[in-house]
Amino acid sequence: MEGFGHIRQKQAPPLRWFIVALGLLLVASVSVGAAVAHRVLVSGTAQAATVDAAEAAPASSPSRFTLTMTGDILVHSDVYKGAAQHALGSGHGRYDFAPMLAPVKPAISRADLALCHLESPLVGPGEPITGYPTFGSPPELANDLAQLGFDGCSTASNHSIDKGLTGVRTTLAALDAAGLGHVGSARSAAEATTVRTYRIGTANGSGPVVAHLAYTYGLNGLTRPADQPWLVNLIDAGAILRDARAARAAGAKVVIVSLHWGQEFQSQASPQQMSLARTLLESADVDLIVGHHVHVVQPLQQINGKWVLYGLGNLMSSPSHDFAQGASREGYIPTVTFQESSPGSGHYRVTHIRAQTTFSTGYPIRAVPIASELTTTGLPAADAARLRTAQSRTRTTLLSLTGPTSTVTVE
């Protein structure tokens, strides 16, 4: 199921990432007891971001870059109906999600690498659009995400196969057409063993390669067909570590793991989440874990000198999807700065996490960064109070396992 910023921009128009298959790269990796060949798929090169005077972090370089990821994108019926209304005014096809997401565009487009979590499958052109409990979202969403500044998305979720193999195919085809990378679900065994990587853009093209892996805890009672186990990645610590090792062997300097996990509407990480995070972060092959699914914000935690972001909450949610005392309409956008430990070492570590708190408004539905929304002229007092509640709750939750730390800034 499925929730305000002054920023620097990528060079405009946002560079979409050209998908280039680099051929079969054999690496030592074992999955379900059998040797698996992993291919490397590099989704082009992102240009270095420019910096304005108010932004503390410098532009990307071979030794430093920024990663931004966002919370769940799950299109309930009133979300896609809102997009249909926007399309009537904009002439933007049948559905236009851009106005709903425009307030967070600066946070996304300024990053050297921006990754979304697309929880619901996209249907093919002209196919019926459906909401909960079996999702089939408008394919126009893919292009709107690309225009927002995303470079790719994780697609492993409990809704990944709501529309079966057909839904996986139409989802990934729409992302391909929009120039977005993707990982977590696949149309074939060969695609499932592809290592999804992105090269960070720099002036001389020498930026580091970042690998993205994605997995889900389950499929809402559905099962992968016996002859299609590659359809979606399920969470298995051994498989994740083997895939991370394969990504590292394929040249990745940083390996990001997206996990669709945890207990819905619980703001504290479960013992199972914490145990798995420790297992993965004890490996030299995993650099950062980013969590989704629970639809509320969960804490950050540092383990073995690395970070797990247990739950980002919702990026955009339906006002009717209002659970956990309203916390399901709250989220945050982390901008994670990676710095090379020493010049030329090829070893990167997280030096700062900027967490921009967000809120999904009522009708018209918008995903807004709270800090900038609070500066809106004429903002009703009740709305301002609700935003401050969301901001305070998110800050308290995020820091509940770490306490105040100079590494994390919550806005």
Side-chain angles (χ1 to χ4, degrees):
M1 303 177 64
E2 35 208 318
F4 293 140
H6 169 84
I7 318 223
R8 58 188 169 97
Q9 302 282 337
K10 288 184 182 175
Q11 295 181 7
L15 179 67
R16 296 280 35 99
W17 301 39
F18 301 100
I19 309 297
V20 180
L22 298 184
L24 287 172
L25 176 66
L26 296 178
V27 295
S29 178
V30 180
S31 178
V32 196
V36 175
H38 284 74
R39 292 184 299 137
V40 183
L41 201 60
V42 177
S43 299
T45 302
Q47 293 179 338
T50 57
V51 186
D52 64 34
E55 192 63 37
S60 64
S61 70
S63 63
R64 183 187 183 96
F65 69 92
T66 56
L67 163 73
T68 288
M69 304 183 80
T70 55
D72 297 357
I73 299 174
L74 188 59
V75 185
H76 282 90
S77 60
D78 49 359
V79 175
Y80 68 71
K81 288 175 182 177
Q85 288 296 314
H86 286 303
L88 290 176
S90 68
H92 179 75
R94 296 183 305 159
Y95 298 92
D96 185 0
F97 294 90
M100 308 165 103
L101 296 167
V104 297
K105 181 174 182 176
I108 295 160
S109 61
R110 70 162 186 171
D112 296 308
L113 176 61
L115 302 172
C116 85
H117 179 56
L118 182 58
E119 183 167 354
S120 54
L122 307 179
V123 301
E127 293 183 17
I129 307 301
T130 58
Y132 180 81
T134 304
F135 286 89
S137 301
E140 289 89 344
L141 177 59
N143 190 61
D144 288 341
L145 292 174
Q147 292 302 313
L148 201 64
F150 285 111
D151 301 298
C153 299
S154 57
T155 58
S157 80
N158 57 322
H159 292 288
S160 291
I161 61 172
D162 277 7
K163 300 294 184 179
L165 174 59
T166 297
V168 170
R169 286 174 172 164
T170 53
T171 299
L172 303 189
L175 295 175
D176 285 341
L180 291 169
H182 46 79
V183 68
S185 57
R187 293 162 285 197
S188 67
E191 186 170 48
T193 56
T194 294
V195 180
R196 173 63 59 180
T197 64
Y198 302 87
R199 183 178 292 278
I200 301 301
T202 61
N204 59 8
S206 61
V209 171
V210 177
H212 188 203
L213 311 176
Y215 310 83
T216 178
Y217 75 92
L219 300 166
N220 280 359
L222 300 176
T223 58
R224 300 174 299 185
D227 61 342
Q228 298 167 2
W230 36 261
L231 203 55
V232 58
N233 296 336
L234 298 182
I235 291 175
D236 174 86
I240 295 171
L241 291 174
R242 288 190 290 270
D243 290 346
R245 190 178 311 122
R248 192 74 75 182
K253 299 302 182 183
V254 174
V255 177
I256 311 299
V257 177
S258 290
L259 296 177
H260 198 80
W261 62 349
Q263 185 175 351
E264 285 186 315
F265 311 120
Q266 298 301 307
S267 61
Q268 291 304 312
S270 69
Q272 293 80 7
Q273 285 176 278
M274 300 178 79
S275 175
L276 178 59
R278 185 165 298 280
T279 296
L280 297 181
L281 292 178
E282 285 176 350
S283 166
D285 297 320
V286 176
D287 296 293
L288 177 71
I289 298 171
V290 181
H292 305 281
H293 170 61
V294 301
H295 307 301
V296 295
V297 172
Q298 291 188 323
L300 313 97
Q301 186 177 29
Q302 190 172 34
I303 298 173
N304 196 31
K306 296 176 284 189
W307 288 87
V308 51
L309 317 183
Y310 283 109
L312 303 188
N314 287 328
L315 175 62
M316 180 176 64
S317 65
S318 162
S320 62
H321 188 256
D322 196 9
F323 297 95
Q325 291 75 52
S328 61
R329 295 172 65 184
E330 302 165 10
Y332 76 102
I333 300 175
T335 297
V336 182
T337 299
F338 282 90
Q339 177 76 48
E340 196 172 19
S341 298
S342 58
S345 68
H347 178 264
Y348 289 78
R349 63 187 181 89
V350 174
T351 56
H352 187 254
I353 300 172
R354 178 188 183 190
Q356 296 183 76
T357 59
T358 63
F359 184 74
S360 189
T361 69
Y363 306 103
I365 300 169
R366 295 183 306 138
V368 297
I370 292 176
S372 62
E373 191 74 2
L374 283 170
T375 67
T376 301
T377 301
L379 184 68
D383 291 354
R386 179 65 182 89
L387 293 174
R388 291 191 180 95
T389 295
Q391 188 178 51
S392 175
R393 176 158 50 192
T394 297
R395 178 182 289 109
T396 298
T397 298
L398 284 179
L399 301 178
S400 61
L401 294 179
T402 65
T405 168
S406 60
T407 303
V408 181
T409 301
V410 184
E411 300 175 359

